[in-house]
Amino acid sequence: MAFSERVDRLKSSLIREILAAAQRPEVMSFAGGLPAEAMLPKVEWSQMPSTMGQYGMSEGEPGLREAIAAEARALGIACSADQVLIVSGSQQTLDLASKLFIDRGTQVLLEAPTYLAALQAFQLFGAECLAVPQEAEGPSLVALRHSLEHHRPAFAYLIPTFQNPSAVRYSDNKRDAVAALLDEFNVTLIEDEPYRELVFDEGDAKPIVSRMRHASWIYTGTISKTLLPGLRVGYLIATPDLFPYLLRLKQSADLHTNRIGQWQAQQWLGSDQYRSHLNELRHFYRLRRDAMQAALAEHFGDLAEWQLPQGGLFFWLQLKQQVDTRTLLKPALGQNVAFMPGEPFFINPDENLGYLRLNFSHVSPDRLAEGIRRLASVVRDASMIEAA
Amino acid sequence: MAFSERVDRLKSSLIREILAAAQRPEVMSFAGGLPAEAMLPKVEWSQMPSTMGQYGMSEGEPGLREAIAAEARALGIACSADQVLIVSGSQQTLDLASKLFIDRGTQVLLEAPTYLAALQAFQLFGAECLAVPQEAEGPSLVALRHSLEHHRPAFAYLIPTFQNPSAVRYSDNKRDAVAALLDEFNVTLIEDEPYRELVFDEGDAKPIVSRMRHASWIYTGTISKTLLPGLRVGYLIATPDLFPYLLRLKQSADLHTNRIGQWQAQQWLGSDQYRSHLNELRHFYRLRRDAMQAALAEHFGDLAEWQLPQGGLFFWLQLKQQVDTRTLLKPALGQNVAFMPGEPFFINPDENLGYLRLNFSHVSPDRLAEGIRRLASVVRDASMIEAA
C-alpha cells in the first residue's frame, strides 16, 4: 500500500491509549481534560427552528459569529463578525492552520512544553518545530528573540492563559513583550485560548493578539471547556489577510460546522444564564483544584515541584528525580490510576524526562486523595529503583 | 506572507459564489444540491441523554456504527462495526483520504466529469488527476484498463449510483468489471454514495466494494441527502488495513464528530419511521424530476441532449453547441436563474465546454417551468452570438 509520506509521521496517539484504559470505571483518571459530568449544563432543544437541519454557510451562523466577535471586542480584540469562522472544535483550527502554513520543513515556533495534539498536527504536515522554554510567567524572552533572529517561523503557536500542560498564565509584561517581538519580526501568532473562562484566582490578562499592531494573527477558542464538548463547536478569529484562505480550507474540510450545536451555543453566549453557569463552574473546579493541591502537598511534597494553577484543568509536576514518566503508566494503571506522562508535550521527549500532567476536574474530591497517594507510591518505587 | 505551497492550488470556489448569488429569494436556483426545505423531517430532541454533551470517541457512537454496518451488510458489503468511522459529513472522508494517500504528484483516478468538491480536495493536496470518461452505464472500461496499465494511481474515486454531476447509475456489468479491474491492478477504491437512497425508478445495484476480492477500499455515505444536512453526520467504512490510519487522521482533524447529530441519526437509521420518510422523499423528488423533464422537453429539445435521471438530484445537459457555460452565469442571474456550469466538474475545464448541471429538488414545480424557459432563452441567445 502506497500511503502519503505524511503517514510516516502519524503517531499512534498515547492519549488515545491512556484514555481508553482510563475508561474502566474503577480507574481514577487524572489523564484527560474532560469537563466534570456533573457540570454539563441541561440544555433545551424545543425552540430550535427546523431550518437548522438544512445546509448552512461555511462561515458559520451569522448570529453566533456576531456574539463571538462581541465577546472578543470586550477582551480588547479589534474585530468584526466577518473575521469569525465557526469550526468543528478548536482542534480544527490547528488542522486548517497547518494546511494554510505548513509544507515539509516549514518552521513553526512553540512553547516547551506545548499542547500535545497541536504538536502532532503540525508534525503530521511536516513542520520543523522550534521550542521556546516556558518559564513561570510565560516564555523565555531571550530564547524567543534568539529564535526569531535565527529562524523564519511561519507562525508562533502559543497558549498564554492557563497553558496546557504547564498551567502557566503569561504575565501582562510577557504578553506585551511577546506581541512586540512578533510585530518586530512580522511573525503570525496563533493564540489558543480554551481555558480563559476557567479562572479561579484574581488576575486578568488581555489576549496577545489585542496587543499586536502589524503582524497577522489567528485567535481560537471553544465552548468545549465551558458548555458542551459533544457539540463540537469552536471558533477562530483571523486577520483579514488570512480569513479568506481559512474559509476555503474549512469548506474543503467539512463544508460547515453542524448547525444544531451552533444554535445551542448561540443560546448561551452572552446570556445571564451563561454567566451564572460560568460562575458555578469556576467554583466547582476551584474546590477540586484545592483538593488536589492538598493531596499533592501531603503525598508529593518530597517527590516533585509545582505551581498552584490559577485556572484551567491541570497541575504540572516536575519530579525531583528525572524518571521517564512513560514507564510509570503501566504500574499506575495496575493501581487503577491514570495520568499523562509529560514527555510527549515536548518536541524532544527523551530530553525532557520527569514531568507529569494531572487533571483535577474529573475525579471527585473524596476519591482524589487516594488516587494521588497511589500515584505517589508508584513514583516513589520508580525513584528508588532508579537510585538503586 | 509565506503560505504553504498547497495554498496556490486553493481555488476560489465557483460553487460558493453561485450559491451566494442564488440566495436572493427572487432567484430560481437550479445550482445547488440542497434538499427541499419541505422535506426536512421534524425531529425530536427531548429524549437525548445528557451524556451526549460530553467528549466522545473518535470512532463515533457505538450504536450508530452498528446500525451503519448492518445497513452496509444488507447491501452485500462484508463489514463489522469496527470498520465504521463516523465523519463530519462525507466531505470529511475526502479530506481524510487525501491526507492518507496524496503527496504532491500522487496520481488518482477519477470519472470525467466528477464531483467538483472531490476534485478540489484532491488537487489541494497536490494530486495529479487521471480521468476516465463516463459513459451512459458507467466509466469506459477500455479507458480504465488503459489508465491502470500505464499509471499507478493511489486510488480510484468513483460515484457509481446517480453520479454527481452526470446522474449515471453504473450497470451491474460495469460494476463487476470495475471491481475486477481494481482487483487485478490492486488499486484502492473510494466509493462515494450520497444518493443511493434517492432512487425513483426500478433497478438495484450492489456497491462495487461488495464485489471486490483483494484490493483495499473506502465506502462513504451520509445522512445529508435523506435526513438533515445540518447535523453534519456522514460515515466511511474501510478495509482493516486502512482503518487505523483514517481514525488517527480523524482525531487530528476534529477529535470526533458532534454527538448530538450522531444521536439523532441513530434514532432514524433502520427505523420504520425512516423507511416511510424515504418513501415520501422519493415520491416528492420523482414529481419534481418529472416536472423538470417536461419543462426541458418543451424548452431545451432543440438545444441539448440528456438522460432522464433515475435517482439523485440532478439533470446533466450536453448543449448541442459548445458554449462555455461559465459565460452564461451572468446573463442567467440577470434573469434571476442560477445553474451550475459543467466545466468545473472536469480536470480540464477548457476542453469540456457545453455542459450544464441542473438541480431539480429545490425549485417548486409551479416555478420550475418558467426558470427553465428563461435559462433556455439565455442559452439560445449565447448560441446565436456564437454562431454569428
Side-chain angles (χ1 to χ4, degrees):
Chain A
M1 182 66 58
F3 291 138
S4 67
E5 56 103 10
R6 112 177 34 81
V7 170
D8 297 337
R9 298 184 302 262
L10 188 58
K11 304 205 174 142
S12 93
S13 169
L14 185 64
I15 296 185
R16 279 184 55 76
E17 287 156 35
I18 296 169
L19 290 181
Q23 296 253 324
R24 287 185 284 129
E26 65 274 24
V27 170
M28 286 173 280
S29 177
F30 307 119
L34 272 62
E37 304 274 335
M39 290 310 289
L40 299 178
K42 280 217 181 335
V43 297
E44 256 303 314
W45 294 101
S46 57
Q47 300 301 310
M48 184 165 65
S50 64
T51 48
M52 290 298 115
Q54 186 55 283
Y55 280 109
M57 290 187 299
S58 298
E59 292 88 341
E61 297 304 306
L64 182 60
R65 298 170 74 204
E66 290 285 356
I68 287 165
E71 294 222 330
R73 284 192 298 266
L75 292 174
I77 303 174
C79 69
S80 73
D82 290 348
Q83 293 170 253
V84 177
L85 179 65
I86 309 298
V87 292
S88 303
S90 61
Q91 178 73 24
Q92 191 176 47
T93 298
L94 306 176
D95 183 66
L96 301 180
S98 297
K99 287 172 177 161
L100 181 55
F101 288 111
I102 303 177
D103 290 319
R104 196 174 177 177
T106 298
Q107 294 182 324
V108 306
L109 200 148
L110 311 169
E111 301 146 326
T114 188
Y115 175 46
L116 171 52
L119 189 57
Q120 290 182 339
F122 302 149
Q123 288 178 335
L124 175 65
F125 280 86
E128 181 192 325
C129 296
L130 312 168
V132 174
Q134 188 80 295
E135 299 172 345
E137 301 212 316
S140 156
L141 297 175
V142 172
L144 179 57
R145 173 172 284 281
H146 185 267
S147 193
L148 292 171
E149 278 171 349
H150 292 83
H151 301 283
R152 290 292 304 147
F155 60 79
Y157 169 78
L158 305 175
I159 313 163
T161 310
F162 316 128
Q163 203 242 15
N164 179 0
S166 72
V168 165
R169 171 165 57 183
Y170 289 20
S171 66
D172 245 329
N173 285 343
K174 287 270 193 187
R175 286 167 192 257
D176 280 337
V178 168
L181 274 169
L182 295 176
D183 270 343
E184 181 183 339
F185 290 92
N186 197 29
V187 168
T188 297
L189 172 61
I190 302 177
E191 183 169 15
D192 191 357
E193 293 242 293
Y195 306 110
R196 167 170 285 277
E197 297 290 351
L198 298 185
V199 52
F200 315 130
D201 298 310
E202 283 303 306
D204 179 36
K206 302 264 179 216
I208 295 179
V209 301
S210 74
R211 303 161 194 252
M212 291 168 70
R213 290 156 185 267
H214 313 296
S216 304
W217 50 261
I218 298 171
Y219 181 84
T220 186
T222 180
I223 58 155
S224 292
K225 307 302 179 188
T226 52
L227 201 56
L228 296 173
L231 303 179
R232 305 310 299 130
V233 174
Y235 59 88
L236 66 83
I237 311 175
T239 43
D241 56 331
L242 304 182
F243 188 88
Y245 299 100
L246 291 164
L247 174 59
R248 283 184 231 154
L249 289 166
K250 166 70 180 168
Q251 188 185 27
S252 183
D254 61 5
L255 301 187
H256 65 82
T257 295
N258 85 87
R259 296 180 79 186
I260 46 181
Q262 291 190 67
W263 178 83
Q264 188 62 254
Q266 202 183 329
Q267 307 315 299
W268 289 80
L269 279 197
S271 71
D272 287 341
Q273 190 187 17
Y274 190 48
R275 269 182 289 275
S276 132
H277 169 67
L278 287 176
N279 282 332
E280 284 170 40
L281 204 58
R282 290 177 194 124
H283 177 70
F284 183 92
Y285 286 148
R286 188 189 294 114
L287 292 180
R288 294 203 166 187
R289 178 204 61 176
D290 292 345
M292 184 169 276
Q293 169 69 12
L296 287 172
E298 184 177 347
H299 300 292
F300 269 88
D302 58 330
L303 292 174
E305 292 180 347
W306 67 90
Q307 300 290 319
L308 181 71
Q310 297 172 307
L313 297 173
F314 306 109
F315 280 78
W316 178 243
L317 271 59
Q318 181 170 21
L319 298 181
K320 290 182 181 171
Q321 209 149 354
Q322 233 183 27
V323 184
D324 185 333
T325 65
R326 291 168 292 191
T327 64
L328 306 181
L329 265 178
K330 215 171 163 181
L333 283 169
Q335 301 284 321
N336 287 330
V337 177
F339 70 95
M340 267 305 296
E343 290 82 6
F345 294 91
F346 292 92
I347 296 163
N348 303 311
D350 296 337
E351 293 160 30
N352 291 277
L353 305 180
Y355 293 91
L356 305 182
R357 193 193 73 176
L358 300 180
N359 166 267
F360 57 80
S361 64
H362 189 65
V363 180
S364 68
D366 55 309
R367 298 178 72 207
L368 182 148
E370 173 59 17
I372 293 297
R373 190 192 65 73
R374 291 188 197 175
L375 186 58
S377 81
V378 168
V379 171
R380 194 164 285 118
D381 289 351
S383 304
M384 288 202 306
I385 294 166
E386 192 97 344
Chain B
M1 184 65 58
F3 291 139
S4 67
E5 55 101 12
R6 110 179 34 81
V7 170
D8 297 339
R9 299 185 300 261
L10 188 60
K11 305 206 172 142
S12 93
S13 169
L14 185 65
I15 296 185
R16 279 183 54 75
E17 287 156 33
I18 296 169
L19 290 182
Q23 296 254 322
R24 287 184 284 128
E26 66 273 24
V27 172
M28 286 172 280
S29 177
F30 307 118
L34 272 62
E37 304 273 335
M39 290 311 289
L40 299 178
K42 280 218 184 329
V43 296
E44 257 302 315
W45 295 100
S46 56
Q47 300 302 309
M48 183 166 65
S50 63
T51 48
M52 290 298 115
Q54 185 56 283
Y55 281 109
M57 290 188 298
S58 298
E59 291 88 340
E61 296 304 307
L64 182 59
R65 298 171 75 203
E66 290 284 357
I68 287 165
E71 294 222 329
R73 284 192 299 264
L75 292 174
I77 303 174
C79 69
S80 74
D82 289 347
Q83 292 169 256
V84 177
L85 179 65
I86 308 299
V87 292
S88 303
S90 60
Q91 180 71 28
Q92 189 175 49
T93 299
L94 305 177
D95 182 66
L96 301 180
S98 297
K99 287 171 177 161
L100 180 55
F101 288 112
I102 304 177
D103 290 319
R104 197 174 178 178
T106 298
Q107 295 182 323
V108 306
L109 200 148
L110 311 169
E111 299 147 326
T114 188
Y115 175 45
L116 171 50
L119 189 56
Q120 289 181 340
F122 302 149
Q123 288 177 335
L124 174 66
F125 280 85
E128 181 193 326
C129 296
L130 312 169
V132 173
Q134 189 78 297
E135 298 172 346
E137 301 211 317
S140 157
L141 297 176
V142 173
L144 179 56
R145 173 172 284 282
H146 184 267
S147 193
L148 292 171
E149 279 171 349
H150 291 83
H151 301 284
R152 289 291 306 147
F155 60 80
Y157 169 79
L158 305 175
I159 314 163
T161 310
F162 316 129
Q163 203 242 15
N164 179 2
S166 71
V168 166
R169 171 166 56 185
Y170 290 21
S171 66
D172 246 329
N173 286 343
K174 286 271 193 186
R175 286 168 192 256
D176 280 338
V178 168
L181 274 170
L182 294 176
D183 270 342
E184 180 183 339
F185 290 92
N186 197 27
V187 168
T188 298
L189 171 61
I190 301 177
E191 182 167 17
D192 192 358
E193 293 241 294
Y195 306 109
R196 166 169 286 276
E197 296 289 352
L198 298 185
V199 51
F200 315 130
D201 299 311
E202 284 303 306
D204 179 36
K206 302 262 179 220
I208 295 179
V209 300
S210 73
R211 302 161 195 252
M212 292 169 71
R213 290 157 186 265
H214 313 294
S216 304
W217 50 260
I218 299 171
Y219 181 83
T220 186
T222 178
I223 59 154
S224 292
K225 306 303 178 188
T226 52
L227 200 58
L228 295 173
L231 303 180
R232 305 310 301 127
V233 174
Y235 59 88
L236 67 82
I237 310 176
T239 43
D241 55 331
L242 304 182
F243 188 87
Y245 299 100
L246 292 164
L247 174 59
R248 284 185 229 155
L249 289 165
K250 166 69 180 169
Q251 188 185 29
S252 182
D254 61 4
L255 302 188
H256 65 82
T257 295
N258 86 86
R259 295 181 79 186
I260 47 182
Q262 290 191 68
W263 179 84
Q264 187 61 254
Q266 202 184 327
Q267 306 315 299
W268 289 79
L269 280 198
S271 71
D272 287 341
Q273 190 188 18
Y274 189 50
R275 271 183 286 276
S276 131
H277 169 68
L278 287 176
N279 281 331
E280 285 171 37
L281 204 59
R282 291 176 192 126
H283 177 72
F284 183 93
Y285 285 148
R286 187 189 293 115
L287 292 180
R288 294 202 166 186
R289 178 203 62 174
D290 292 344
M292 184 170 275
Q293 168 70 9
L296 287 172
E298 184 177 348
H299 301 292
F300 270 88
D302 58 331
L303 293 174
E305 292 180 347
W306 66 90
Q307 300 291 318
L308 182 70
Q310 297 172 307
L313 297 172
F314 306 108
F315 279 80
W316 179 244
L317 271 61
Q318 180 169 21
L319 298 181
K320 291 182 181 171
Q321 211 149 356
Q322 232 183 28
V323 185
D324 185 334
T325 65
R326 291 167 293 192
T327 66
L328 305 180
L329 264 179
K330 216 169 160 182
L333 283 168
Q335 301 284 318
N336 287 330
V337 178
F339 69 95
M340 266 306 295
E343 290 81 6
F345 294 90
F346 292 93
I347 295 163
N348 303 311
D350 296 337
E351 293 160 29
N352 290 278
L353 305 180
Y355 293 91
L356 305 181
R357 192 194 72 177
L358 299 180
N359 166 267
F360 57 80
S361 64
H362 188 65
V363 179
S364 68
D366 56 309
R367 299 177 72 206
L368 182 149
E370 173 59 18
I372 294 296
R373 191 193 64 74
R374 292 188 197 174
L375 186 58
S377 82
V378 167
V379 171
R380 196 165 282 119
D381 289 352
S383 305
M384 286 201 307
I385 293 164
E386 193 96 342

